[in-house]
Amino acid sequence: MEKLRMRHCLPALVASLSALLLAGGVKAQTLRDYDIVYVRQARFGDNQNTTWPEVFHPARMDPGADLMLLHPDGSEEVLVAGGNGGITDPFVSFDAQWVYYAQFPDLRSQSLNHQRGDLPIRGADIHRIHLATRQTEQLTHGEFTPNTGAGNWDEANPLDPPSGFNRLGYGILNLGPCPLPGGRIAFTSNRNGFEPPKGYTTPTLQLFVMDEDGQNVTQIAPMNISSALHPTILRDGRLMFSSHEDQGLRDRRMWGVWAIWPDGRKWEPVLSAFREGQAFHFMTQLSGGDLVIEDYYNLNNNGFGTLYRTPSRPPAGQPAFFSAYSDDNPLIERTVGGGFPYPYTIPFTPRGGLVSLAPFTHGDDEAAPVGSNGQRVGKFTHPSAAPDGNLLVVWTPGPANDLNRPTPMPYYDAGLYEIVGGNVVQSPQDLVLIKNDPAWNEAWPRAVVPYSRIHGVAEPDDLAWLPNDGGEHPMLPAGTPYGLVGSSSLYKRESFPATVTPWSNTFDGLDAFNTSENGQSSNWFSQGSDAGKYSNSDIWAVRILAMEPHSHRSYGPNEGRQFSSHADERLRVLGEIPVRKFGAGGQPVLDLEGNPDTSFLARIAADTPFTFQTLDRKGMVLNMAQTWHQVRPGELRADCGGCHAHSQMPLAFGSTAAAQTGHVVPDLATTTPLLTLDASGQPALRVENIAQVSVEFLRDIRPLLQQRCAGCHQGASPPGNLNLADTSMIDGLPGDYRRLAADSAAQFGYAPVISNGSWRQTNASRYVRMFQSRRSLLIWKLFGERLDGWSNAEHPTETVPGNPATLPAGSDANEADLDFTGTMMPPPGSPVVPLTADEKLLFVRWIDLGAPIDTGNADLGWFLDDLRPTVALSLPRARANPAPLQSIRFGLADADSGVDLTSLSVSADFVVNGRAPGTELADLAQAQGDGIWSIALLPPLQSAWDRHVTVSVRDQQGNTTRVRRAFFVGADDTIFREGFD
């Protein structure tokens, strides 16, 4: 046992530490000359669990968590008492003078909403404490900013407004403060009142940035539709955060780590969510620049797992990630089960690899392994950088898992430890003890030192803030509310499923049609999104989809979700853009790599979450991006270099046809181009002069079924055993919809032939495969041909539908699929009018959008506009403005129902053109084109300090966006910033 080396220890502390050293064998504390701020959480002994915030419930913890200051001599003091509430998420300012933190006022059981995931009724707010004076300041105040057209809200009261109002029934949560260079603070908040589309975490927390006094609050990532946690600043100025990656059909437990500029531009993956069921969360950056990211299985591990170290950037000249195939990725060391090493790999590992800092344990959903001393080796959480390249961590001995796998006890006894140099430790004995009081759980250690002592500079790089100055592209003039999005090639793709098991050989390395085997393919659930068998030559177009959040009408009128779809996500078609280009003589235009040029560029409303689908010549999905995207006002985003092409060097967009002068850039903000088919069945294009197009079952699909199909498909013995005339409600869904798109249990029609008798993989029924029209029997029948890339002869099919005994001799039911037989529907020669090409494409889009159906109030269902308008207030700029200020300039746009210009309001707290402060100024606004408006200031504002301009507008749905801009006129904002200290 290493000799105890702590300086000036108090007798009681010596006794407790000595007992721990004898039990756990960890090293004693090294000499340190700096304070540590941490959170002291309740502990209830070895036999009772405690509640830790983590991805499943980021707003739950036991009451009484205090913010503590630990001195080098072992003495400590309470900085902020938790009382009935609690403190979490501390972050030290760059000058080490302040500590930012989130505070829950009340976490007692009677102050939680037990109907809504035990969310605290009084929410949480961001504060900071000045360490020298102990002065505290509250920076947020429970602000509630719901989509005003998506419910009947009292914006002053999300909890218990009068009858007739909607309400959340829980408080506004402002969490995860992180100081940014230039005097700003990043944080997460549910102030918009959204809920995650597929649940599993609650509520939807989104990324915001504000000035350090709480002004100029800006939502920087509207794409956080599900949730985001714990923004963490990097040395190069990027903001790292954890993102809930459950878009589409992906496993809803998965969280990845992304980076984004503090103004919301240039987001990118850092460690993608390709480890099924796991969360990448809690992160830091070491002195040398490497990142440390935690990996844990959510909920059951209370946020405890293992730690990985990885470079913050790939090596020069290399792509950011390794291959989609797990075997092509470097090994990650871990120990599982009975203490045996069991390395593994994950797809798209960052270049430089993931080095496990604690290979003696793991982040999986089972107890930590047993070490050489016969005791379980525990797990880690809350990594934090310290001076000299060291890493502060929280470690608990024992199982660190709540389930009997094989035991959850003893429960967590977390303490503060150091990993010297941020290097690999081979056992708990290599950890250096800082503090572990068995009466408490210690959490969230932060070294109270200037940023320069860890990273060598006073602050991280201060990246430019959203210029929107007209310099990116001619279609983005200064002040625009739009952005441009594109790609250099759809041929550069890694959209295939890289994980497949036994039956992959019969389905060409893709997912089986319908198999009893669990986890046969990663396709659509964790990695990959191919819709059947195809080659790059099948790629014809790209579909851009807007993705709308879900306002949480938790209580009150029309509460709950008023529609259903296969991913519970509200999607809109912004446009379908053909990507193939042809030159003289009809020859394809090639890119610099010799492939057909499939580049594209399109204009969309900024701050609109969106995603992509690659389409074939018939307008059917070939693959789908399975995450959210965005562009900020004035941003050109065309650097992705391909479709899921994580491990390939991108083709430079500037070299492609879409980047050249004269290329026609479709304006998806005002029109919606849609693929159609000409009389010979060849692809063509038509344009709707509206902002978006969507499809829903009751409005668009059922009328066609009733007119063209139900005349035959009805009664006790309908053709194909498919009754489309039954519209009676069955478990909340009408019978025609349930048979087509919600019959995974095979309650209707012909049963599947696999042993468990259900429709699995991504099959929603016999007729519809989720998000995959080209692999759906319904679409085959409408088009009169098989469309999934295979032939009938390639896989066995029963001769009597639903009877496995009629499979060909020796066939395996797990290798079976469906054949296309018979004729097109409605049958040629029947008295029923055939479907037009555009009517067939209605069915295609309906499936590719997730087969949506309204299930309640249609006004608040699938077609509800749950996106607020874009307001790009570009002048005055936040904070510093060069004198004189000659105009107020703002851009207005909306991706769904459109801007209601009659609702425009502009005001200022200074004299404008002779009008008194607070006077309405909207009538002075002059249209500048491209959605840009300006108010000339006559005379210009020569000098001013702490002035404000407010712009607000509604869309046609009634959603309001308000921007309140705090600014000053002058050349230097030093006084402005220090004035709030």
Side-chain angles (χ1 to χ4, degrees):
M1 172 95 36
E2 182 173 328
K3 183 179 179 181
L4 189 67
R5 293 179 286 155
M6 294 187 66
R7 297 184 303 162
H8 313 299
C9 293
L10 300 175
L13 186 62
V14 171
S16 64
L17 290 178
S18 297
L20 181 66
L21 290 171
L22 290 171
V26 297
K27 293 181 181 179
Q29 181 181 351
T30 56
L31 298 177
R32 96 183 131 76
D33 59 359
Y34 57 87
D35 291 342
I36 291 176
V37 67
Y38 76 96
V39 174
R40 183 177 69 180
Q41 298 178 185
R43 183 171 186 266
F44 308 111
D46 291 348
N47 299 320
Q48 182 176 339
N49 201 4
T50 51
T51 304
W52 291 72
E54 47 89 54
V55 292
F56 183 82
H57 47 59
R60 285 180 55 194
M61 58 191 298
D62 297 310
D66 304 321
L67 184 65
M68 305 295 297
L69 188 64
L70 176 64
H71 300 299
D73 64 0
S75 64
E76 62 181 16
E77 53 189 304
V78 176
L79 291 176
V80 183
N84 292 330
I87 311 299
T88 190
D89 302 347
F91 215 117
V92 176
S93 66
F94 300 131
D95 60 8
Q97 299 300 305
W98 296 84
V99 175
Y100 297 88
Y101 58 94
Q103 182 168 10
F104 294 91
D106 197 340
L107 291 169
R108 294 174 297 171
S109 178
Q110 63 266 36
S111 299
L112 308 179
N113 186 335
H114 301 297
Q115 296 178 332
R116 298 292 181 267
D118 289 335
L119 288 171
I121 292 171
R122 294 184 60 188
D125 274 303
I126 291 170
H127 303 246
R128 66 177 182 173
I129 183 170
H130 190 250
L131 292 175
T133 64
R134 300 298 196 263
Q135 173 191 358
T136 63
E137 299 177 4
Q138 184 171 342
L139 303 182
T140 64
H141 301 272
E143 297 85 351
F144 181 39
T145 56
N147 278 355
T148 50
N152 187 25
W153 302 104
D154 178 353
E155 296 179 67
N157 189 352
L159 289 172
D160 55 354
S163 176
F165 284 94
N166 291 106
R167 65 189 191 277
L168 297 179
Y170 52 87
I172 300 303
L173 300 160
N174 294 302
L175 299 169
C178 171
L180 302 178
R184 293 185 172 97
I185 301 166
F187 64 103
T188 61
S189 178
N190 71 319
R191 61 183 58 198
N192 287 338
F194 298 146
E195 62 174 339
K198 293 191 293 191
Y200 213 75
T201 187
T202 188
T204 295
L205 293 161
Q206 299 181 293
L207 281 176
F208 292 82
V209 168
M210 64 182 174
D211 291 346
E212 58 189 8
D213 69 328
Q215 297 196 91
N216 286 322
V217 176
T218 303
Q219 185 178 1
I220 66 165
M223 65 181 178
N224 300 144
I225 290 178
S226 195
S227 205
L229 291 172
H230 292 114
T232 304
I233 190 65
L234 297 179
R235 167 67 179 79
D236 61 13
R238 293 178 298 156
L239 195 62
M240 188 166 55
F241 67 97
S242 188
S243 174
H244 191 200
E245 293 303 289
D246 69 338
Q247 193 268 312
L249 301 179
R250 297 192 76 193
D251 188 319
R252 60 183 181 162
R253 300 167 296 177
M254 293 163 59
W255 291 69
V257 173
W258 288 27
I260 193 171
W261 282 28
D263 63 359
R265 291 181 294 156
K266 302 182 184 296
W267 52 266
E268 59 185 331
V270 173
L271 180 55
S272 297
F274 291 124
R275 189 170 179 222
E276 189 172 358
Q278 297 290 126
F280 296 129
H281 180 214
F282 300 129
M283 64 212 82
T284 193
Q285 185 176 34
L286 296 173
S287 297
D290 281 1
L291 310 178
V292 175
I293 298 172
E294 187 189 345
D295 168 24
Y296 66 88
Y297 186 90
N298 53 82
L299 183 60
N300 298 336
N301 284 354
N302 276 290
F304 282 79
T306 193
L307 303 174
Y308 302 140
R309 180 170 175 166
T310 189
S312 61
R313 290 286 192 184
Q318 294 188 22
F321 302 96
F322 285 94
S323 163
Y325 292 104
S326 291
D327 289 347
D328 293 340
N329 286 258
L331 287 173
I332 305 169
E333 300 297 328
R334 67 171 170 179
T335 304
V336 297
F340 299 104
Y342 193 82
Y344 68 103
T345 59
I346 60 173
F348 298 120
T349 301
R351 289 281 171 169
L354 290 175
V355 176
S356 177
L357 293 183
F360 59 84
T361 190
H362 59 76
D364 301 354
D365 188 22
E366 61 181 73
V370 175
S372 59
N373 61 359
Q375 298 180 358
R376 296 195 178 274
V377 296
K379 298 179 184 179
F380 295 84
T381 194
H382 299 166
S384 178
D388 305 317
N390 296 330
L391 178 67
L392 305 180
V393 296
V394 173
W395 174 75
T396 180
N401 184 271
D402 296 349
L403 305 179
N404 287 312
R405 295 178 178 172
T407 178
M409 294 187 290
Y411 280 111
Y412 302 80
D413 181 15
L416 309 181
Y417 298 84
E418 183 180 69
I419 296 179
V420 176
N423 295 317
V424 175
V425 289
Q426 297 295 339
S427 75
Q429 285 78 7
D430 293 332
L431 300 174
V432 178
L433 173 66
I434 296 174
K435 181 178 181 63
N436 189 346
D437 185 335
W440 301 90
N441 279 309
E442 289 81 16
W444 285 110
R446 301 285 192 184
V448 184
V449 297
Y451 188 83
S452 59
R453 184 163 173 195
I454 298 176
H455 296 284
V457 293
E459 290 186 350
D461 292 345
D462 191 0
L463 300 175
W465 183 272
L466 198 60
N468 198 3
D469 58 4
E472 284 281 5
H473 192 277
M475 287 191 70
L476 299 175
T480 181
Y482 303 111
L484 290 172
V485 61
S487 178
S488 59
S489 172
L490 297 185
Y491 267 50
K492 296 177 77 74
R493 65 180 180 90
E494 291 166 300
S495 57
F496 46 84
T499 302
V500 284
T501 53
W503 292 286
S504 62
N505 291 333
T506 63
F507 284 91
D508 299 278
L510 302 171
D511 48 332
F513 175 75
N514 193 41
T515 171
S516 296
E517 183 188 19
N518 292 326
Q520 182 269 335
S521 171
S522 63
N523 205 31
W524 290 86
F525 299 119
S526 60
Q527 188 271 312
S529 62
D530 275 353
K533 181 182 176 182
Y534 67 96
S535 65
N536 282 345
S537 62
D538 291 305
I539 294 172
W540 183 261
V542 63
R543 179 185 290 146
I544 302 181
L545 298 174
M547 308 180 70
E548 304 200 5
H550 292 307
S551 290
H552 194 193
R553 293 185 301 274
S554 180
Y555 299 96
N558 299 293
E559 68 180 68
R561 195 110 5 122
Q562 303 291 300
F563 76 92
S564 176
S565 77
H566 288 147
D568 286 328
E569 292 172 338
R570 197 183 276 112
L571 304 176
R572 309 279 187 248
V573 179
L574 295 180
E576 296 169 350
I577 305 169
V579 295
R580 292 187 178 272
K581 305 161 188 71
F582 301 94
Q587 293 301 308
V589 175
L590 304 182
D591 62 29
L592 291 183
E593 295 180 342
N595 295 317
D597 187 302
T598 52
S599 62
F600 71 92
L601 189 65
R603 189 173 82 154
I604 64 173
D607 295 342
T608 299
F610 66 91
T611 195
F612 301 102
Q613 292 176 333
T614 303
L615 307 180
D616 65 11
R617 286 170 172 78
K618 288 183 168 61
M620 300 178 192
V621 163
L622 294 170
N623 61 63
M624 181 174 179
Q626 290 192 284
T627 191
W628 303 273
H629 306 70
Q630 70 177 40
V631 286
R632 299 298 323 279
E635 182 181 10
L636 167 62
R637 185 65 193 268
D639 60 349
C640 65
C643 187
H644 313 282
H646 303 288
S647 69
Q648 302 178 48
M649 291 297 291
L651 173 67
F653 179 75
S655 70
T656 66
Q660 305 310 306
T661 302
H663 176 78
V664 177
V665 178
D667 183 5
L668 307 189
T670 56
T671 63
T672 304
L674 296 172
L675 290 186
T676 187
L677 302 173
D678 64 19
S680 63
Q682 295 303 305
L685 198 66
R686 64 185 181 90
V687 177
E688 296 277 356
N689 291 315
I690 52 179
Q692 55 83 16
V693 167
S694 194
V695 186
E696 184 269 339
F697 180 79
L698 299 178
R699 188 193 72 172
D700 301 307
I701 302 302
R702 175 182 278 175
L704 293 174
L705 293 175
Q706 294 293 312
Q707 296 165 14
R708 316 290 176 83
C709 306
C712 292
H713 287 274
Q714 61 176 307
S717 301
N721 203 13
L722 175 62
N723 180 2
L724 293 175
D726 179 10
T727 60
S728 61
M729 299 302 290
I730 304 169
D731 296 329
L733 292 170
D736 50 355
Y737 179 90
R738 187 165 286 284
R739 287 170 170 82
L740 284 178
D743 190 29
S744 60
Q747 182 179 354
F748 305 98
Y750 297 123
V753 296
I754 59 174
S755 60
N756 58 20
S758 61
W759 297 106
R760 306 183 78 229
Q761 296 296 100
T762 49
N763 291 306
S765 69
R766 178 180 177 86
Y767 306 98
V768 167
R769 199 171 185 98
M770 291 181 276
F771 291 97
Q772 300 174 61
S773 57
R774 73 186 298 268
R775 212 173 177 189
S776 296
L777 179 60
L778 172 64
I779 301 303
W780 300 356
K781 297 299 290 184
L782 296 183
F783 279 76
E785 60 180 314
R786 184 171 187 145
L787 298 164
D788 65 348
W790 287 288
S791 68
N792 285 350
E794 289 183 78
H795 302 103
T797 304
E798 71 273 23
T799 56
V800 177
N803 185 352
T806 64
L807 285 166
S811 297
D812 189 329
N814 290 293
E815 298 179 358
D817 69 355
L818 296 179
D819 287 350
F820 173 76
T821 58
T823 63
M824 179 187 297
M825 290 291 145
S830 73
V832 178
V833 177
L835 291 171
T836 67
D838 287 332
E839 287 173 334
K840 294 176 184 178
L841 284 169
L842 270 179
F843 283 88
V844 166
R845 294 188 185 100
W846 175 64
I847 292 175
D848 290 346
L849 296 182
I853 180 173
D854 280 330
T855 56
N857 184 342
D859 291 336
L860 296 171
W862 177 255
F863 295 107
L864 169 70
D865 178 359
D866 218 341
L867 283 171
R868 65 190 67 193
T870 302
V871 176
L873 179 55
S874 53
L875 287 176
R877 293 184 63 80
R879 307 186 334 180
N881 288 262
L885 181 66
Q886 300 190 38
S887 65
I888 298 171
R889 185 181 66 200
F890 52 91
L892 305 176
D894 188 76
D896 196 337
S897 60
V899 173
D900 177 6
L901 283 175
T902 66
S903 69
L904 177 65
S905 177
V906 184
S907 63
D909 62 358
F910 52 92
V911 174
V912 174
N913 300 358
R915 297 191 183 185
T919 304
E920 180 59 62
L921 305 173
D923 61 300
L924 299 178
Q926 298 294 310
Q928 305 299 307
D930 195 49
I932 303 168
W933 300 76
S934 69
I935 298 174
L937 299 183
L938 303 171
L941 191 61
Q942 297 292 334
S943 62
W945 182 82
D946 197 18
R947 294 292 185 261
H948 300 83
V949 168
T950 302
V951 178
S952 71
V953 75
R954 289 194 307 268
D955 61 20
Q956 301 294 336
Q957 177 71 45
N959 299 310
T960 300
T961 298
R962 300 183 189 89
V963 176
R964 177 174 168 80
R965 175 66 45 79
F967 71 98
F968 80 104
V969 177
D972 189 347
D973 69 347
T974 303
I975 297 176
F976 182 82
R977 288 167 53 190
E978 292 182 350
F980 294 124
D981 284 350

